[in-house]
Amino acid sequence: MINSIVNKFRQRNFVLGFVAVLVIFVLLGIYKPYVLIEGIQRSSLYALIALPMALLLGVVGIINLAHGDFMMLGAYFAYFMNVQLGMDPLVAVVPALIVFFIFGMISYYITFKHVIGAPELNQLLLGFGLSLVLGQAVNIIATNQPRKLSLDYVSSSMKIGDFQFGTYEFIYVAAAILVLVGLQLFLKKTRTGQAALAVGQNPRGAKVVGININWIYLIVFAISVAIIGAIGPIFGTRNTIFPEVGLAYTLKSFALIAVAGIGSLTGVLWVSLILGLSECLVLSSLEYAKWSDIIFFALIIGVIMYRSHQRQVK
Amino acid sequence: MLEVKNLNVFYGKLQILWDLSINVGDESVGLFGPNGAGKTTLINTILGLVKPVSGEIVLDGESLVKMETDKIIKHGIAIVPQDRELFPFMTVEENLRTGNAYIARARKKYQERLDFVFEIFPVLKERLNQAAGSMSGGQQRMVAIGRALMSDPKVLILDEPSGGLQPSLVTEVFHRLKDLKKSVSVLVTEQNVRQALKAIDRGYILENGKIAMADTADNLAGNDHIRKSYLGI
Ligand SMILES: Nc1ncnc2c1ncn2[C@@H]1O[C@H](COP(=O)(O)OP(=O)(O)O)[C@@H](O)[C@H]1O
Ligand SMILES: [Mg+2]
């Protein structure tokens, strides 16, 4: 672990990026401290939601366009556990992990199992269809009426001098770090994690060393769904939920991963950070606040153009 | 040990292997023949990557034809594929570990297997942390052989192990193969028949999907047809 961090610092690009981020932090902290705090919180939520997709897409190459809808389901799960049984949504994270692991396995058997190795378009269409089915199912069962839990603890805040900010949202930071470290350990240290990397890098090679690759696809899909399903309750503590609430997050996660470079989990964290901070910075100016959504897509278009330019130069 | 009986294999409507039978005991067996004869197809069928229309494949009394590839490997067959099939972004060490980690029998002997691989390919020991994809073709071939040996196989299959290697390395690979014979049964396909005959006990000649000839290495080396067609004498 430490070795790989030291190695990273030997790369010039990494050092430059690291220094740039540090400088931005310090400048923002002095200039607009609440932008820094809110930006970090917002970034962490983006990263948190994108990480399970990065696992599935980056490690075994499955594009799941129903990603955000599983989060939506997790949020509804927590909502009804709270309304019916009085369970705190943050406690509901634990049963959600188990329920969504199983639900992920079942979904995989019914859907994605049949498009492994098929052209990517099949995966995209399938994911899109699954997304519609999940959204409409919730629509039928729970109607499309927006719902929101009222919990006292989510509005906790802190004051330093005359500058006040929400502290509850730091849960996103903690959760994102937990998920990132957990996934890294899973990939590096467990046999199943190594098998997942092997399948992603060379499915045929994986078969001939005795890896059951169908099992690996199933497990990684189920893990991804379990995590995003368990993020649902956390998301639901602070946000209004409705059947289509996940769609925007599917798109943002997908774009984040594309910018970070498919296969890089830590990259997702860095890109989220840049994005969250820029968005909050724009939002903080009264004049330009309504431009904040554009930031996201401007950044993505910028990076993609830069990349294709680099490819041409090479 | 490994028995292949009356195998018929098709790609679509095209028959590639015709009623083919071979067996490999406690020995090294060569499988020779021109490009396109069906050597790789036979190996892929043994591995369960291609399913035969009819025929039997038996390892130590157990039939393999209905098994999935991962089960067949777990039963004791290891392969060094023609295209190596390494994991390019993993280090040499991680690649070697994948050869070991999914075979329960071999897992207990990880260190012992690793030492064995280093004994055969000392150069790998210095390259443990290098990404496999960044190595030369010859070194990758060593990693692929090492990875196969990590599984402590009963039968080691090598598909053109000298393919793409410099001549000096080819000699080395066959030198290593000769060492291996003592600890594992070997089935090896090779274009470079002259070199291979020095390292094996018996050989089959495969032509157009049929066994054209089967004999000891010495007899094959002395056979007129072999000398003309494969040794260029
Ligand atoms: N995936 C495939 N689909 C169709 N035909 C194939 C395929 N792989 C190999 N063949 C054909 O099968 C024959 C045997 O090929 P192969 O087993 O690779 O021969 P060898 O390994 O002896 O060079 C060749 O005619 C080849 O063109
Ligand atoms: Mg071949």
Side-chain angles (χ1 to χ4, degrees):
Chain A
M1 202 79 157
I2 293 180
N3 244 344
S4 72
I5 293 171
V6 172
N7 271 335
K8 281 224 169 102
F9 273 93
R10 296 226 175 89
Q11 299 164 6
R12 199 170 59 105
N13 279 344
F14 181 81
V15 174
L16 283 178
F18 191 79
V19 170
V21 170
L22 226 71
V23 169
I24 293 171
F25 267 41
V26 172
L27 288 180
L28 261 182
I30 296 166
Y31 173 52
K32 283 185 171 172
Y34 57 95
V35 169
L36 179 64
I37 301 278
E38 274 176 22
I40 289 176
Q41 291 168 342
R42 179 182 283 248
S43 316
S44 303
L45 180 62
Y46 287 157
L48 180 62
I49 296 172
L51 278 170
M53 184 192 259
L55 171 75
L56 195 56
L57 176 57
V59 177
V60 294
I62 298 177
I63 308 170
N64 175 16
L65 282 191
H67 182 71
D69 302 287
F70 284 106
M71 180 180 80
M72 176 274 294
L73 287 181
Y76 272 93
F77 173 80
Y79 179 86
F80 285 111
M81 291 300 262
N82 182 267
V83 173
Q84 305 286 331
L85 305 176
M87 185 186 275
D88 189 283
L90 293 182
V91 176
V93 167
V94 178
L97 268 175
I98 299 162
V99 167
F100 280 91
F101 186 80
I102 296 166
F103 186 57
M105 283 185 145
I106 297 169
S107 311
Y108 178 82
Y109 260 111
I110 300 174
T111 59
F112 279 87
K113 182 180 195 291
H114 306 286
V115 292
I116 297 294
E120 267 130 31
L121 189 60
N122 295 23
Q123 280 189 20
L124 288 174
L125 289 172
L126 182 71
F128 187 56
L130 183 59
S131 163
L132 288 176
V133 169
L134 295 179
Q136 288 310 310
V138 171
N139 206 344
I140 289 167
I141 297 166
T143 75
N144 63 358
Q145 163 205 348
R147 293 163 195 271
K148 186 152 196 314
L149 288 171
S150 62
L151 305 155
D152 327 325
Y153 57 76
V154 300
S155 46
S156 71
S157 67
M158 206 170 136
K159 210 166 177 178
I160 300 178
D162 53 359
F163 152 57
Q164 188 171 3
F165 57 91
T167 46
Y168 173 73
E169 286 84 351
F170 279 113
I171 194 174
Y172 301 145
V173 183
I177 292 171
L178 192 73
V179 170
L180 178 66
V181 171
L183 288 181
Q184 299 275 30
L185 286 178
F186 166 69
L187 290 174
K188 274 281 164 194
K189 299 288 175 203
T190 72
R191 251 190 285 145
T192 309
Q194 285 283 299
L197 288 174
V199 170
Q201 290 175 30
N202 186 349
R204 199 181 167 86
K207 272 189 194 172
V208 301
V209 294
I211 293 170
N212 181 344
I213 72 169
N214 295 322
W215 171 252
I216 293 299
Y217 283 122
L218 170 70
I219 286 293
V220 175
F221 190 88
I223 290 175
S224 174
V225 171
I227 296 174
I228 190 64
I231 289 168
I234 303 176
F235 179 80
T237 53
R238 199 79 184 81
N239 298 277
T240 304
I241 58 173
F242 47 95
E244 295 82 28
V245 71
L247 295 181
Y249 290 91
T250 301
L251 277 184
K252 283 202 172 173
S253 300
F254 189 63
L256 271 178
I257 294 165
V259 173
I262 287 168
S264 164
L265 294 184
T266 33
V268 169
L269 207 64
W270 292 117
V271 176
S272 305
L273 204 55
I274 295 168
L275 203 73
L277 285 173
S278 344
E279 273 190 8
C280 281
L281 188 62
V282 175
L283 274 173
S284 74
S285 113
L286 287 177
E287 241 174 299
Y288 295 110
K290 50 179 180 285
W291 290 81
S292 75
D293 270 347
I294 286 192
I295 291 280
F296 197 90
F297 294 101
L299 188 85
I300 287 156
I301 292 168
V303 169
I304 290 170
M305 281 173 68
Y306 174 73
R307 286 237 179 98
S308 61
H309 172 71
Q310 282 220 316
R311 204 166 300 147
Q312 279 163 15
V313 171
K314 272 178 200 163
Chain B
M1 188 162 253
L2 178 69
E3 262 182 286
V4 174
K5 284 182 281 194
N6 309 105
L7 211 56
N8 287 290
V9 175
F10 290 71
Y11 282 126
K13 285 209 166 97
L14 196 66
Q15 184 157 10
I16 307 294
L17 300 182
W18 301 74
D19 207 37
L20 190 146
S21 303
I22 67 165
N23 65 77
V24 183
D26 279 326
E27 56 186 340
S28 278
V29 173
L31 186 63
F32 308 117
N35 241 329
K39 303 182 293 294
T40 301
T41 303
L42 171 59
I43 288 173
N44 285 344
T45 313
I46 294 173
L47 294 174
L49 293 166
V50 174
K51 292 292 170 196
V53 168
S54 64
E56 253 308 332
I57 301 167
V58 180
L59 177 66
D60 285 341
E62 207 163 350
S63 171
L64 304 183
V65 270
K66 294 239 157 58
M67 277 184 205
E68 291 294 325
T69 300
D70 60 293
K71 286 271 160 51
I72 293 172
I73 302 294
K74 287 184 171 97
H75 266 75
I77 292 188
I79 171 76
V80 181
Q82 192 167 353
D83 301 322
R84 301 184 297 256
E85 308 285 5
L86 294 179
F87 307 113
F89 305 113
M90 286 191 190
T91 64
V92 169
E93 187 176 13
E94 288 166 336
N95 266 284
L96 291 177
R97 197 180 280 275
T98 59
N100 180 267
Y102 306 100
I103 315 291
R105 166 174 44 85
R107 209 146 58 214
K108 295 177 212 118
K109 310 189 211 164
Y110 177 73
Q111 196 54 48
E112 185 189 317
R113 299 309 299 173
L114 196 63
D115 292 341
F116 179 55
V117 170
F118 289 156
E119 209 177 294
I120 300 175
F121 301 117
V123 60
L124 293 184
K125 199 168 184 168
E126 296 142 31
R127 304 265 178 161
L128 277 181
N129 293 316
Q130 189 174 345
S134 70
M135 303 177 96
S136 74
Q139 288 165 341
Q140 288 193 24
R141 185 74 59 189
M142 293 180 201
V143 178
I145 297 174
R147 184 180 70 176
L149 289 172
M150 288 300 289
S151 73
D152 190 18
K154 296 178 193 162
V155 180
L156 175 67
I157 302 178
L158 303 104
D159 198 358
E160 310 218 2
S162 68
L165 291 187
Q166 310 156 5
S168 63
L169 274 170
V170 176
T171 319
E172 183 163 323
V173 166
F174 282 100
H175 183 66
R176 302 303 185 200
L177 270 183
K178 230 177 168 136
D179 293 345
L180 283 183
K181 247 175 23 181
K182 296 166 201 149
S183 53
V184 53
S185 304
V186 173
L187 175 65
V188 56
T189 80
E190 198 41 72
Q191 300 269 324
N192 192 332
V193 179
R194 185 195 304 273
Q195 288 288 349
L197 282 175
K198 293 179 194 153
I200 58 162
D201 302 313
R202 276 191 314 123
Y204 293 94
I205 308 294
L206 186 62
E207 283 170 1
N208 297 319
K210 296 177 185 133
I211 297 295
M213 202 182 296
D215 215 328
T216 62
D218 291 340
N219 287 349
L220 287 176
N223 181 286
D224 275 347
H225 171 64
I226 305 294
R227 288 164 71 90
K228 264 200 216 93
S229 310
Y230 296 96
L231 302 177
I233 301 173

